[in-house]
Amino acid sequence: VSSSFIGPCLGALTLATFGPHHFDAVMASNALWGHIGSCVAAVLAGIVAYFMYPDIKYCFLVIAASALSAVMFVHFLPEGDRLMGRGFKGKQALDEFGHIEKLTNEDDNDDQVAVEKQQLHNDENPQASSYWEVISDKRCFLLCVTGFFFHFANANVLLVLGELMGGDNGDDGAPSQAAIPLIAGAIVLAQVTMAAATWVGDRLTHTGVGRKPL
C-alpha cells in the first residue's frame, strides 16, 4: 500500500523541480535508476540470503539499509515550486543539467505579461481539482484501469515462480539454498528488462514516437 504513494510523490517532486518541459526526460531517468537500484538490491539480498542460509531473514537488512539511505538523501533534494508540483503554472525550474531556466516567454508583449501578472496576483492560492474530478476524467480513468489490471495480472507471478523454484529442503519445507540464486536471478532479469524498456521508451519519446492523445 505504501509503495502506491511513491509514484505520485516522485512525479510531483519532479514536476515541482524541473517543470513540464523536462518532466518526461527526468522521469525516465528516475525510472531507469530505480530499476538499476532494484537490481543491485536483489543481488545483495541474494548474496546475504545465500551465505546466511538457513537464516535467510537477514536479507531484509539490505532492504532496510536501502530505505535508510533514501531517507538520508531526501534532504538533499531541491524543494522546487510547490504550486508547479501541484500542476499549476510556475515561473522558473531546473533543466536536466541543474541550470535554472525561466518558464515565461521573454518575447511576450507587455499586455500579455501584465495579464499574466494579474492572474498570478489573483491566484495566489489557486484551487486544485477535486479527487472526483480527476478520477471521473476519461483519460485518468483509463490510465488507472490499465495500471490496475497490469498489477492484478502480475501480482502473484513472482511469488508463484519463487515457490516453484524454491521447492523444499527436507521435512521442514524450507526453501533450498540452491534456489536462492534462481529467485534473485528472476528479479534481476525482470528489472534489467524494465530498465532497458525505460531507456528505449525515453529515446522514442524524444523522437515523438508513442504519443497518442486519449
Side-chain angles (χ1 to χ4, degrees), residues 34-165:
H35 294 310
I36 294 176
S38 298
C39 289
V40 175
V43 171
L44 293 178
I47 293 175
V48 172
Y50 185 83
F51 287 102
M52 296 298 294
Y53 187 86
D55 296 324
I56 60 175
K57 58 181 178 293
Y58 290 109
C59 69
F60 291 101
L61 294 177
V62 176
I63 302 176
S66 301
L68 291 176
S69 300
V71 171
M72 291 176 55
F73 284 100
V74 162
H75 299 285
F76 295 95
L77 295 176
E79 181 179 357
D81 191 329
R82 299 181 181 179
L83 293 179
M84 191 162 56
R86 298 174 62 195
F88 299 109
K89 186 176 181 180
K91 297 180 180 180
Q92 63 183 16
L94 298 179
D95 60 11
E96 301 177 47
F97 305 100
H99 302 145
I100 298 177
E101 65 176 7
K102 293 184 178 180
L103 300 179
T104 56
N105 190 357
E106 298 181 353
D107 297 333
D108 294 340
N109 53 47
D110 296 337
D111 295 336
Q112 185 174 355
V113 172
V115 171
E116 291 182 355
K117 289 183 178 180
Q118 183 65 28
Q119 290 177 349
L120 291 175
H121 177 73
N122 296 334
D123 298 334
E124 292 180 356
N125 296 311
Q127 296 296 324
S129 300
S130 63
Y131 287 106
W132 173 251
E133 291 174 340
V134 174
I135 298 299
S136 60
D137 184 82
K138 177 183 176 182
R139 296 165 295 182
C140 294
F141 180 76
L142 290 176
L143 179 62
C144 292
V145 171
T146 303
F148 170 79
F149 281 108
F150 167 77
H151 291 290
F152 182 79
N154 190 51
N156 295 323
V157 172
L158 187 59
L159 297 177
V160 175
L161 180 62
E163 183 178 357
L164 292 175
M165 291 190 302

Side-chain angles (χ1 to χ4, degrees), residues 7-56:
C9 290
L10 182 59
L13 288 173
T14 303
L15 185 61
T17 305
F18 297 94
H21 297 162
H22 304 283
F23 180 79
D24 291 342
V26 177
M27 281 299 295
S29 177
N30 291 338
L32 176 62
W33 286 104
H35 294 310
I36 294 176
S38 298
C39 289
V40 175
V43 171
L44 293 178
I47 293 175
V48 172
Y50 185 83
F51 287 102
M52 296 298 294
Y53 187 86
D55 296 324
I56 60 175

